[in-house]
Amino acid sequence: MDYKTKKLTATGMFCALAYLAVVTMRIPLILFLKYEPKDVVITIGGLIFGPLTSFWISLIVSFVQMLTISENGILGFLMNVISSCSFACTAASIYNKRCHAPRAAYCKKKRTRPGMVAGLLSGWACMIVVMLLWNYLIAPLYMGTTREDVARLLLPAFLPFNFIKGGLNAAITLFLYKPVVTALRRARMIPEKTPMP
């Protein structure tokens, strides 16, 4: 298989694993809010193949989730995509950051462990801010309540939920990334040096 075929196959595998994480590992945290580790899978896919892969995995998994187990329809789909992408795409973008040297004929990725930590922390912060805004705007529509009622839940419910969710996503991703990459390299799904996404 060439690299593009392997990437497509691996992306499909990440989609299946992320959906499996949603279906089998939903953990109630605060009020009606549940944590599932799908963003860990989405983020690992993006760290390996780039932020666009995180976007596509998030879109596909959220769409299938909407058709099968979601109770919130298109609004739940939208919120899932925004939440996953704010964390995973931010982390993958920073980890896969390109260094544009003056007069350089090409760009070289700076993929280091500190870069990964910076990406994950940035994704964590981005998700918290983005989800506070989007919960304020969208949650009243699918919760069937007023915006004022949702505003009263932002600090005691949505903020701690997204803080815990982002922290778990970052910690689990950091723990699992290397074993996943090692396993994929042994299976020859990705080369020793992954090409530019």
Side-chain angles (χ1 to χ4, degrees):
M1 285 192 291
D2 64 9
Y3 175 71
K4 287 185 179 178
T5 305
K6 289 179 179 180
K7 179 179 177 181
L8 188 61
T9 303
T11 301
M13 180 189 69
F14 283 124
C15 287
L17 289 171
Y19 180 72
L20 190 64
V22 172
V23 172
T24 62
M25 298 185 229
R26 302 188 95 186
I27 304 163
L29 281 185
I30 298 170
L31 298 177
F32 56 88
L33 301 167
K34 295 180 178 74
Y35 172 77
E36 72 264 341
K38 73 174 179 183
D39 289 349
V40 172
V41 180
I42 294 168
T43 305
I44 290 174
L47 294 174
I48 295 170
F49 296 114
L52 195 56
T53 299
S54 284
F55 170 76
W56 283 113
I57 297 170
S58 173
L59 197 69
I60 292 165
V61 172
S62 297
F63 183 73
V64 175
Q65 186 178 347
M66 178 184 73
L67 295 179
T68 56
I69 62 170
S70 176
E71 300 168 358
N72 301 314
I74 192 72
L75 293 175
F77 165 78
L78 178 65
M79 293 295 278
N80 280 323
V81 171
I82 292 169
S83 176
S84 294
C85 286
S86 63
F87 180 82
C89 294
T90 302
S93 294
I94 291 172
Y95 181 59
N96 289 289
K97 185 171 125 182
R98 293 181 173 122
C99 178
H100 297 277
R103 299 179 185 170
Y106 63 93
C107 296
K108 183 181 179 183
K109 272 187 196 169
K110 298 186 78 177
R111 300 175 88 169
T112 62
R113 190 167 181 84
M116 181 186 296
V117 171
L120 292 170
L121 291 176
S122 298
W124 185 4
C126 181
M127 187 189 74
I128 290 170
V129 172
V130 166
M131 291 315 295
L132 283 176
L133 172 64
W134 280 93
N135 275 301
Y136 177 73
L137 295 174
I138 303 295
L141 301 177
Y142 66 81
M143 287 175 64
T145 188
T146 65
R147 189 156 279 122
E148 289 74 22
D149 288 338
V150 170
R152 283 193 283 271
L153 288 173
L154 289 178
L155 294 182
F158 291 112
L159 177 62
F161 171 75
N162 284 298
F163 184 83
I164 294 167
K165 178 180 176 180
L168 288 171
N169 286 341
I172 298 168
T173 301
L174 198 60
F175 179 73
L176 290 180
Y177 177 74
K178 191 169 182 180
V180 170
V181 168
T182 301
L184 289 174
R185 283 182 178 151
R186 284 182 182 159
R188 298 188 178 181
M189 292 297 295
I190 59 173
E192 284 300 316
K193 296 294 181 186
T194 308
M196 298 289 277

